Amino acid sequence: GQQVMQIPQYQHVQEGEDFTTYCNSSTTLSNIQWYKQRPGGHPVFLIQLVKSGEVKKQKRLTFQFGEAKKNSSLHITATQTTDVGTYFCAGLKNTGNQFYFGTGTSLTVIP
Amino acid sequence: IAGITQAPTSQILAAGRRMTLRCTQDMRHNAMYWYRQDLGLGLRLIHYSNTAGTTGKGEVPDGYSVSRANTDDFPLTLASAVPSQTSVYFCASRGPGYGYTFGSGTRLTVV
């Protein structure tokens, strides 16, 4: 079964609106990574979070790792058409050495 | 340019045929992976290799085999292709403490 759940599966927003995708695990994660995949492209690494409660920003993107290290979120402020794509989280369990990818959130930005 | 090279880019294959997807990296990463990506299912791990000479099974290994004779190459073989193996295949590598670097993918259609 899916180790890491991600919601929503799809999101359509008007350009300029905000967007958030959530990643949840039933077990504690050692760290979590986020990736972006443009339509027709391949996943590209965005960031890694390691510490409980950690928050990192990349321009309009804000990444957060939950206090219990079981969930994470990616928030985009004032979306642009260049933000279109699928965003994946990937979690590393404390007991393993393999990352488990979420099912992804496909973001469409309407100009 | 450092990265991962996959070949072929796309292929239409008759069911029952044998096929090897090629993957080469020039980053000297020890860990390499093969994923398949299907709509709504995200990225699922097929096989992985933590270092040259070793391989391991991922979530969906049936019908696939891999080898890791050296650090740079990690081919994926479908011994007898079936239509359910129609997918986009991504090879990836990962250095210690870093995110995955993905290749551009191979789009495989089994008919």
Side-chain angles (χ1 to χ4, degrees):
Chain A
Q2 198 68 31
Q3 307 278 349
V4 175
M5 303 302 297
Q6 196 171 346
I7 55 170
Q9 188 173 0
Y10 301 97
Q11 185 78 58
H12 291 70
V13 300
Q14 205 72 36
E15 188 174 17
E17 292 181 339
D18 292 357
F19 159 78
T20 305
T21 174
Y22 301 91
C23 191
N24 297 291
S25 170
S26 58
T27 60
T28 303
L29 300 173
S30 173
N31 60 39
I32 197 157
Q33 298 177 346
W34 285 92
Y35 293 79
K36 177 183 178 180
Q37 183 178 22
R38 294 182 185 275
H42 58 275
V44 174
F45 174 73
L46 294 176
I47 208 161
Q48 176 170 276
L49 304 172
V50 178
K51 299 176 184 176
S52 170
E54 188 171 12
V55 178
K56 287 187 176 181
K57 292 191 176 185
Q58 289 180 350
K59 297 183 180 177
R60 292 178 296 103
L61 279 61
T62 302
F63 304 85
Q64 188 166 5
F65 202 5
E67 293 290 341
K69 301 184 77 173
K70 288 186 176 182
N71 56 72
S72 181
S73 64
L74 159 59
H75 179 83
I76 302 178
T77 303
T79 54
Q80 300 175 359
T81 55
T82 54
D83 296 326
V84 165
T86 301
Y87 293 85
F88 291 97
C89 62
L92 177 66
K93 293 185 175 181
N94 278 337
T95 56
N97 62 358
Q98 299 298 334
F99 279 85
Y100 291 91
F101 281 82
T103 49
T105 296
S106 176
L107 173 64
T108 299
V109 179
I110 304 164
Chain B
I1 297 176
I4 297 217
T5 301
Q6 288 187 241
T9 302
S10 64
Q11 182 77 45
I12 298 175
L13 185 67
R17 297 295 295 268
R18 180 185 179 91
M19 168 114 193
T20 295
L21 308 184
R22 301 185 297 278
C23 174
T24 299
Q25 57 122 344
D26 61 1
M27 297 170 286
R28 307 303 293 172
H29 288 166
N30 281 325
M32 296 190 74
Y33 309 84
W34 274 104
Y35 288 88
R36 59 176 292 173
Q37 184 173 36
D38 303 288
L39 194 63
L41 297 177
L43 293 158
R44 292 184 293 168
L45 182 64
I46 305 171
H47 284 287
Y48 65 92
S49 169
N50 288 327
T51 189
T54 69
T55 62
K57 294 183 179 180
E59 303 170 65
V60 289
D62 295 343
Y64 306 94
S65 64
V66 291
S67 61
R68 186 85 184 279
N70 56 62
T71 298
D72 297 344
D73 301 300
F74 192 41
L76 176 74
T77 298
L78 289 68
S80 179
V82 294
S84 62
Q85 291 178 311
T86 293
S87 187
V88 179
Y89 291 86
F90 288 103
C91 179
S93 71
R94 188 165 68 92
Y98 292 95
Y100 291 81
T101 299
F102 285 86
S104 298
T106 294
R107 185 174 298 275
L108 179 67
T109 303
V110 182
V111 298

